Amino acid sequence: MGLLNALLGNSTEVSSESVANEFAPILIEGETIIKSFKLIRDMFVFTNKRLILVDKQGVTGSKVDFMTIPYKSINYFSKRSASLLDLDAEILIWIKGSDNPIQKDFRKGENINDVYKTLSTFVLA
């Protein structure tokens, strides 16, 4: 089911243990991965200190962008649901000091709600 969700653009939750080694070199002392979600090649990684957005680029995915967003830097965020004519849904995140939001696209499906709920938990806490 994980492969089907990935092909459809749905996020799937990935166990913290399975991504711990990949992220160990960039985590600071006392920082732990709480939840992570994977889209086809991109990821949302929620730690106890920040959100890390992973964007794998290029055909082979060998170029990887790790964007760190401290939770306190998130001004607001929103979720745009998919409609009948538009099968995509989006999460938009506005960062302090930036006029344009960071946009992450999802295919129609409920899994965007898991990412949105996790984001809400960390930003609103």
Side-chain angles (χ1 to χ4, degrees):
M1 193 66 162
L3 178 60
L4 179 60
N5 277 335
L7 291 174
L8 293 173
N10 293 333
S11 64
T12 54
E13 188 168 351
V14 182
S15 74
S16 299
E17 296 80 27
S18 68
V19 296
N21 287 338
E22 180 181 354
F23 287 89
I26 65 170
L27 298 180
I28 63 172
E29 186 175 331
E31 185 176 22
T32 57
I33 295 172
I34 307 298
K35 278 195 174 213
S36 54
F37 298 91
K38 186 173 182 115
L39 287 156
I40 296 171
R41 298 187 322 173
D42 298 342
M43 290 183 75
F44 285 79
V45 179
F46 294 90
T47 76
N48 58 328
K49 301 191 180 286
R50 60 182 158 165
L51 168 61
I52 303 171
L53 298 177
V54 181
D55 181 13
K56 292 190 177 181
Q57 304 168 1
V59 176
T60 62
S62 58
K63 183 176 180 183
V64 182
D65 179 44
F66 295 87
M67 179 184 289
T68 290
I69 305 170
Y71 298 121
K72 65 183 179 183
S73 296
I74 298 175
N75 274 349
Y76 55 98
F77 53 97
S78 69
K79 176 184 80 151
R80 287 189 194 148
S81 299
S83 66
L84 291 175
L85 298 176
D86 180 13
L87 298 180
D88 292 334
E90 299 97 18
I91 285 184
L92 299 136
I93 303 170
W94 283 265
I95 306 300
K96 290 179 185 172
S98 179
D99 293 333
N100 299 318
I102 297 166
Q103 178 176 325
K104 291 296 181 181
D105 297 322
F106 294 75
R107 299 286 176 241
K108 189 172 183 176
E110 295 182 310
N111 294 331
I112 189 173
N113 293 326
D114 295 337
V115 175
Y116 188 79
K117 185 175 182 179
T118 304
L119 182 60
S120 297
T121 299
F122 284 100
V123 173
L124 302 175

